[in-house]
Amino acid sequence: MISFASSPLMMILVFLVWLIYTIKSWQYVAAQLLTDQHRFLFYSSTAMSKIRQFKSWFLMQLYISIPLLVYGAFSIVVGVIYGHYLIPAGIVCYLLLLNLISACLYLQMISRFNRNEEKICWTKLVGGWRKPFSFLFLYELLHRKKMAFLLTKILSWGILTGVFLVFSDLKNDSRIAAIAVLGVALTHAFLCYQGQRFEMVNLTFAKNFPYSRTQIFLQILSFYAILLIPEAIWCFLKFELVTAAGLYLMMLSFILLFRALLYRLGPHMNRYLPWIFGLFFIFFWCIMFQWIWILIPIPLLMAYLIFYHNYYL
């Protein structure tokens, strides 16, 4: 807190974290406003004057920002005690600005309820495209889950580059590349979970389609093969052709196994995560013992068998 109240660099870092927290609160409030049980707010709250609406949204954001307010208040007290006055004044102004912007944004949200979704640029762009059944979740990612998709890819890039920076003296060891690939697969487990939820909520009718289980598994495989294209490009730029192809197939087989587990476990994160991390450690030690290339066929076979026997459950 002393550093926060006295160091401009520390202040900028904390302000950045507070901004991210506030943006996440905007996303949460926007999602809540679109739920059926809160639709009445679009008709009841707009009956009030604009000033009263603004005050209400401002107070609501203050409640959401209580963690920031408490930490900021302690930092202001510490700063004043130690003779730092400029940054504590900046903390007050910054928190006030975040809450004012939030109130204005919520006021705009509530007044745009009747906006037609077809006017969104993304919807207009892809509205006329053919959408194969196996790639519907890709459009869901790009339309409604852009943040999750973007963060997953950033984390994957961080793992791929970070592992080789940390172990730069062992960059020719194939185990390092395999560990990086395993880390990438682990980061995509969240997208696998989101894909299962999307399938259960929006595609429950799909099990009546005249597709065999093998066809459906191949569709899932093709989807994740395309989803991993950025990581595949990195592999082929970093390694020779055979090694890069092996790493790409290993990464794909890991992710398919993580995806297939959800057909057995269901979309229950408290059951899913222990299995994911358990498999991660098993595969990690297989890599350490240099059993690398068996990690392509075995997870792929396990994924197919789990999927085949649990798809219609």
Side-chain angles (χ1 to χ4, degrees), residues 252-273:
L252 183 60
S253 65
F254 289 153
I255 292 176
L256 288 173
L257 178 56
F258 294 162
R259 181 69 174 84
L261 277 174
L262 288 161
Y263 288 99
R264 177 67 181 174
L265 302 174
H268 306 292
M269 188 62 81
N270 59 333
R271 297 170 59 189
Y272 181 55
L273 285 179

Side-chain angles (χ1 to χ4, degrees), residues 134 181-182 184-193 196 199 213-228 247-265 272 276 279 283 295-308 310:
S134 57
V181 163
L182 180 58
V184 170
L186 186 67
T187 63
H188 283 76
F190 178 70
L191 294 185
C192 293
Y193 178 81
Q196 180 69 7
E199 185 176 314
R213 281 172 284 187
T214 301
Q215 286 177 307
I216 296 171
F217 183 80
L218 291 175
Q219 289 176 353
I220 296 173
L221 187 152
S222 62
F223 167 75
Y224 285 103
I226 290 177
L227 189 67
L228 291 173
L247 292 171
Y248 175 61
L249 291 175
M250 185 187 303
M251 181 165 44
L252 183 60
S253 65
F254 289 153
I255 292 176
L256 288 173
L257 178 56
F258 294 162
R259 181 69 174 84
L261 277 174
L262 288 161
Y263 288 99
R264 177 67 181 174
L265 302 174
Y272 181 55
I276 292 299
L279 288 171
F283 293 150
L295 294 179
I296 297 175
I298 290 180
L300 187 61
L301 179 61
M302 291 172 60
Y304 178 75
L305 293 175
I306 293 172
F307 169 83
Y308 189 88
N310 294 279

Side-chain angles (χ1 to χ4, degrees), residues 84-148:
H84 303 287
Y85 303 105
L86 183 60
I87 292 180
I91 293 172
V92 174
C93 294
Y94 186 70
L95 287 172
L96 182 62
L97 180 64
L98 286 180
N99 283 273
L100 288 173
I101 293 173
S102 300
C104 292
L105 186 63
Y106 298 146
L107 193 60
Q108 186 182 23
M109 285 182 192
I110 208 77
S111 63
R112 296 177 64 188
F113 174 64
N114 293 322
R115 184 186 68 169
N116 192 344
E117 193 175 3
E118 279 71 26
K119 295 180 182 178
I120 300 174
C121 295
W122 168 253
T123 309
K124 292 172 67 176
L125 177 64
V126 304
W129 294 3
R130 294 183 62 185
K131 300 175 179 63
F133 172 73
S134 57
F135 295 103
L136 289 178
F137 182 57
L138 180 61
Y139 289 95
E140 172 74 3
L141 285 176
L142 297 176
H143 183 47
R144 290 192 177 92
K145 301 186 183 300
K146 294 184 284 290
M147 184 61 70

Side-chain angles (χ1 to χ4, degrees), residues 7-120:
S7 170
L9 179 59
M10 187 66 179
M11 180 194 71
I12 292 172
L13 292 175
V14 174
F15 279 7
L16 180 61
V17 173
W18 286 3
L19 178 62
I20 295 172
Y21 179 91
T22 305
I23 292 173
K24 294 299 294 182
S25 73
W26 297 344
Q27 294 176 339
Y28 174 77
V29 172
Q32 290 299 310
L33 286 174
L34 293 176
T35 58
D36 292 336
Q37 64 266 32
H38 296 140
R39 291 285 177 121
F40 72 92
L41 289 172
F42 290 100
Y43 307 102
S44 59
S45 65
T46 52
M48 299 186 296
S49 66
K50 291 288 186 181
I51 295 177
R52 191 173 177 185
Q53 290 182 57
F54 180 84
K55 289 179 180 178
S56 300
W57 289 117
F58 183 80
L59 289 174
M60 187 203 72
Q61 185 63 28
L62 282 178
Y63 283 116
I64 294 175
S65 302
I66 283 176
L68 312 186
L69 296 174
V70 171
Y71 188 79
F74 275 109
S75 300
I76 291 170
V77 171
V78 171
V80 172
I81 291 173
Y82 284 90
H84 303 287
Y85 303 105
L86 183 60
I87 292 180
I91 293 172
V92 174
C93 294
Y94 186 70
L95 287 172
L96 182 62
L97 180 64
L98 286 180
N99 283 273
L100 288 173
I101 293 173
S102 300
C104 292
L105 186 63
Y106 298 146
L107 193 60
Q108 186 182 23
M109 285 182 192
I110 208 77
S111 63
R112 296 177 64 188
F113 174 64
N114 293 322
R115 184 186 68 169
N116 192 344
E117 193 175 3
E118 279 71 26
K119 295 180 182 178
I120 300 174

